[in-house]
PDB file of all heavy atoms in Angstrom:
ATOM      1  N   ARG X  39      12.450   9.291   8.138  1.00 98.00           N
ATOM      2  CA  ARG X  39      13.097   8.044   7.683  1.00 98.00           C
ATOM      3  C   ARG X  39      12.102   7.136   6.963  1.00 98.00           C
ATOM      4  O   ARG X  39      12.400   6.577   5.919  1.00 98.00           O
ATOM      5  CB  ARG X  39      13.674   7.279   8.884  1.00 98.00           C
ATOM      6  CG  ARG X  39      14.911   7.910   9.480  1.00 98.00           C
ATOM      7  CD  ARG X  39      15.406   7.057  10.653  1.00 98.00           C
ATOM      8  NE  ARG X  39      16.403   7.792  11.416  1.00 98.00           N
ATOM      9  CZ  ARG X  39      17.664   7.930  11.038  1.00 98.00           C
ATOM     10  NH1 ARG X  39      18.087   7.358   9.938  1.00 98.00           N
ATOM     11  NH2 ARG X  39      18.504   8.640  11.777  1.00 98.00           N
ATOM     12  N   GLU X  67      21.896   8.897   0.765  1.00 98.00           N
ATOM     13  CA  GLU X  67      22.800   7.777   0.475  1.00 98.00           C
ATOM     14  C   GLU X  67      22.046   6.454   0.421  1.00 98.00           C
ATOM     15  O   GLU X  67      22.324   5.591  -0.403  1.00 98.00           O
ATOM     16  CB  GLU X  67      23.891   7.680   1.557  1.00 98.00           C
ATOM     17  CG  GLU X  67      25.089   8.574   1.259  1.00 98.00           C
ATOM     18  CD  GLU X  67      25.993   8.724   2.476  1.00 98.00           C
ATOM     19  OE1 GLU X  67      26.016   7.813   3.337  1.00 98.00           O
ATOM     20  OE2 GLU X  67      26.649   9.765   2.564  1.00 98.00           O
ATOM     21  N   GLU X  85      10.485  34.390   9.407  1.00 98.00           N
ATOM     22  CA  GLU X  85      11.400  33.354   8.934  1.00 98.00           C
ATOM     23  C   GLU X  85      10.629  32.242   8.200  1.00 98.00           C
ATOM     24  O   GLU X  85      11.051  31.778   7.129  1.00 98.00           O
ATOM     25  CB  GLU X  85      12.175  32.757  10.121  1.00 98.00           C
ATOM     26  CG  GLU X  85      13.275  31.807   9.703  1.00 98.00           C
ATOM     27  CD  GLU X  85      14.071  31.262  10.890  1.00 98.00           C
ATOM     28  OE1 GLU X  85      14.299  32.015  11.862  1.00 98.00           O
ATOM     29  OE2 GLU X  85      14.453  30.086  10.828  1.00 98.00           O
ATOM     30  N   LEU X 131       1.169  25.823  18.644  1.00 98.00           N
ATOM     31  CA  LEU X 131      -0.047  26.340  18.015  1.00 98.00           C
ATOM     32  C   LEU X 131       0.259  27.359  16.908  1.00 98.00           C
ATOM     33  O   LEU X 131      -0.078  27.144  15.741  1.00 98.00           O
ATOM     34  CB  LEU X 131      -0.944  26.968  19.099  1.00 98.00           C
ATOM     35  CG  LEU X 131      -2.259  27.537  18.605  1.00 98.00           C
ATOM     36  CD1 LEU X 131      -3.061  26.512  17.834  1.00 98.00           C
ATOM     37  CD2 LEU X 131      -3.076  28.068  19.779  1.00 98.00           C
ATOM     38  N   MET X 142      -1.055  24.960   2.996  1.00 98.00           N
ATOM     39  CA  MET X 142      -2.433  24.659   2.613  1.00 98.00           C
ATOM     40  C   MET X 142      -2.859  25.531   1.435  1.00 98.00           C
ATOM     41  O   MET X 142      -3.632  25.096   0.573  1.00 98.00           O
ATOM     42  CB  MET X 142      -3.366  24.862   3.812  1.00 98.00           C
ATOM     43  CG  MET X 142      -4.707  24.188   3.669  1.00 98.00           C
ATOM     44  SD  MET X 142      -5.641  24.304   5.208  1.00 98.00           S
ATOM     45  CE  MET X 142      -7.275  23.848   4.617  1.00 98.00           C
ATOM     46  N   ALA X 160      -2.711  14.446  25.643  1.00 99.00           N
ATOM     47  CA  ALA X 160      -2.775  15.622  26.526  1.00 99.00           C
ATOM     48  C   ALA X 160      -3.809  16.633  26.025  1.00 99.00           C
ATOM     49  O   ALA X 160      -4.264  17.483  26.789  1.00 99.00           O
ATOM     50  CB  ALA X 160      -1.398  16.284  26.613  1.00 99.00           C
ATOM     51  N   GLY X 168      -0.211  19.871  33.454  1.00 98.00           N
ATOM     52  CA  GLY X 168      -0.197  19.853  31.981  1.00 98.00           C
ATOM     53  C   GLY X 168      -0.743  21.126  31.367  1.00 98.00           C
ATOM     54  O   GLY X 168      -0.514  21.410  30.180  1.00 98.00           O
ATOM     55  N   SER X 182      -7.393  21.024  13.638  1.00 98.00           N
ATOM     56  CA  SER X 182      -7.442  20.010  12.570  1.00 98.00           C
ATOM     57  C   SER X 182      -8.867  19.835  12.079  1.00 98.00           C
ATOM     58  O   SER X 182      -9.105  19.740  10.864  1.00 98.00           O
ATOM     59  CB  SER X 182      -6.938  18.654  13.086  1.00 98.00           C
ATOM     60  OG  SER X 182      -5.600  18.755  13.463  1.00 98.00           O
ATOM     61  N   MET X 185      -9.635  22.838  10.020  1.00 98.00           N
ATOM     62  CA  MET X 185      -8.963  22.778   8.710  1.00 98.00           C
ATOM     63  C   MET X 185      -9.721  21.831   7.783  1.00 98.00           C
ATOM     64  O   MET X 185      -9.834  22.079   6.584  1.00 98.00           O
ATOM     65  CB  MET X 185      -7.501  22.323   8.881  1.00 98.00           C
ATOM     66  CG  MET X 185      -6.619  23.390   9.513  1.00 98.00           C
ATOM     67  SD  MET X 185      -5.055  22.716  10.161  1.00 98.00           S
ATOM     68  CE  MET X 185      -4.090  22.560   8.664  1.00 98.00           C
ATOM     69  N   GLY X 191     -14.729  20.282  -0.255  1.00 98.00           N
ATOM     70  CA  GLY X 191     -14.795  20.599  -1.689  1.00 98.00           C
ATOM     71  C   GLY X 191     -13.450  20.504  -2.378  1.00 98.00           C
ATOM     72  O   GLY X 191     -13.355  20.748  -3.583  1.00 98.00           O
ATOM     73  N   GLU X 205       8.838   7.465  23.878  1.00 98.00           N
ATOM     74  CA  GLU X 205      10.177   7.792  24.408  1.00 98.00           C
ATOM     75  C   GLU X 205      11.019   8.469  23.329  1.00 98.00           C
ATOM     76  O   GLU X 205      11.445   7.836  22.360  1.00 98.00           O
ATOM     77  CB  GLU X 205      10.892   6.547  24.927  1.00 98.00           C
ATOM     78  CG  GLU X 205      12.163   6.939  25.682  1.00 98.00           C
ATOM     79  CD  GLU X 205      12.743   5.803  26.502  1.00 98.00           C
ATOM     80  OE1 GLU X 205      12.277   4.658  26.372  1.00 98.00           O
ATOM     81  OE2 GLU X 205      13.684   6.084  27.272  1.00 98.00           O
ATOM     82  N   PHE X 208      11.488  14.295  24.187  1.00 98.00           N
ATOM     83  CA  PHE X 208      10.389  15.111  24.699  1.00 98.00           C
ATOM     84  C   PHE X 208      10.526  15.430  26.201  1.00 98.00           C
ATOM     85  O   PHE X 208      10.403  16.588  26.616  1.00 98.00           O
ATOM     86  CB  PHE X 208       9.069  14.367  24.428  1.00 98.00           C
ATOM     87  CG  PHE X 208       7.831  15.030  24.948  1.00 98.00           C
ATOM     88  CD1 PHE X 208       7.188  16.016  24.218  1.00 98.00           C
ATOM     89  CD2 PHE X 208       7.283  14.655  26.171  1.00 98.00           C
ATOM     90  CE1 PHE X 208       6.036  16.622  24.693  1.00 98.00           C
ATOM     91  CE2 PHE X 208       6.137  15.248  26.652  1.00 98.00           C
ATOM     92  CZ  PHE X 208       5.509  16.235  25.911  1.00 98.00           C
ATOM     93  N   THR X 228       6.893  -0.578  28.726  1.00 98.00           N
ATOM     94  CA  THR X 228       7.447  -0.342  27.391  1.00 98.00           C
ATOM     95  C   THR X 228       6.684   0.798  26.743  1.00 98.00           C
ATOM     96  O   THR X 228       5.511   0.630  26.371  1.00 98.00           O
ATOM     97  CB  THR X 228       7.328  -1.603  26.506  1.00 98.00           C
ATOM     98  OG1 THR X 228       7.905  -2.715  27.215  1.00 98.00           O
ATOM     99  CG2 THR X 228       8.057  -1.407  25.191  1.00 98.00           C
ATOM    100  N   GLU X 233       9.323   5.235  16.139  1.00 99.00           N
ATOM    101  CA  GLU X 233       9.052   4.415  14.947  1.00 99.00           C
ATOM    102  C   GLU X 233       7.608   3.906  14.954  1.00 99.00           C
ATOM    103  O   GLU X 233       6.993   3.747  13.900  1.00 99.00           O
ATOM    104  CB  GLU X 233      10.036   3.232  14.867  1.00 99.00           C
ATOM    105  CG  GLU X 233      11.470   3.625  14.542  1.00 99.00           C
ATOM    106  CD  GLU X 233      12.189   4.351  15.687  1.00 99.00           C
ATOM    107  OE1 GLU X 233      11.839   4.106  16.877  1.00 99.00           O
ATOM    108  OE2 GLU X 233      13.092   5.162  15.397  1.00 99.00           O
ATOM    109  N   ASP X 237       5.170   4.513  11.863  1.00 98.00           N
ATOM    110  CA  ASP X 237       4.416   3.451  11.174  1.00 98.00           C
ATOM    111  C   ASP X 237       2.952   3.856  11.031  1.00 98.00           C
ATOM    112  O   ASP X 237       2.342   3.658   9.978  1.00 98.00           O
ATOM    113  CB  ASP X 237       4.513   2.128  11.948  1.00 98.00           C
ATOM    114  CG  ASP X 237       5.899   1.497  11.841  1.00 98.00           C
ATOM    115  OD1 ASP X 237       6.652   1.848  10.906  1.00 98.00           O
ATOM    116  OD2 ASP X 237       6.232   0.667  12.706  1.00 98.00           O
ATOM    117  N   VAL X 242      -1.657   6.078   7.703  1.00 98.00           N
ATOM    118  CA  VAL X 242      -2.665   7.124   7.452  1.00 98.00           C
ATOM    119  C   VAL X 242      -2.411   7.791   6.095  1.00 98.00           C
ATOM    120  O   VAL X 242      -3.327   8.008   5.297  1.00 98.00           O
ATOM    121  CB  VAL X 242      -2.639   8.166   8.600  1.00 98.00           C
ATOM    122  CG1 VAL X 242      -3.501   9.370   8.268  1.00 98.00           C
ATOM    123  CG2 VAL X 242      -3.094   7.519   9.908  1.00 98.00           C
ATOM    124  N   GLN X 266      -3.791   6.087  34.006  1.00 98.00           N
ATOM    125  CA  GLN X 266      -3.725   4.639  34.187  1.00 98.00           C
ATOM    126  C   GLN X 266      -2.552   4.094  33.382  1.00 98.00           C
ATOM    127  O   GLN X 266      -2.630   3.971  32.151  1.00 98.00           O
ATOM    128  CB  GLN X 266      -5.034   3.998  33.753  1.00 98.00           C
ATOM    129  CG  GLN X 266      -6.155   4.352  34.707  1.00 98.00           C
ATOM    130  CD  GLN X 266      -7.398   3.549  34.394  1.00 98.00           C
ATOM    131  OE1 GLN X 266      -8.015   3.731  33.359  1.00 98.00           O
ATOM    132  NE2 GLN X 266      -7.741   2.636  35.287  1.00 98.00           N
TER     133      GLN X 266
END
Side-chain angles (χ1 to χ4, degrees):
R39 287 181 193 282
E67 274 166 27
E85 188 178 323
L131 181 55
M142 198 173 165
S182 297
M185 288 163 79
E205 190 166 9
F208 177 84
T228 307
E233 290 71 28
D237 288 340
V242 171
Q266 291 189 292

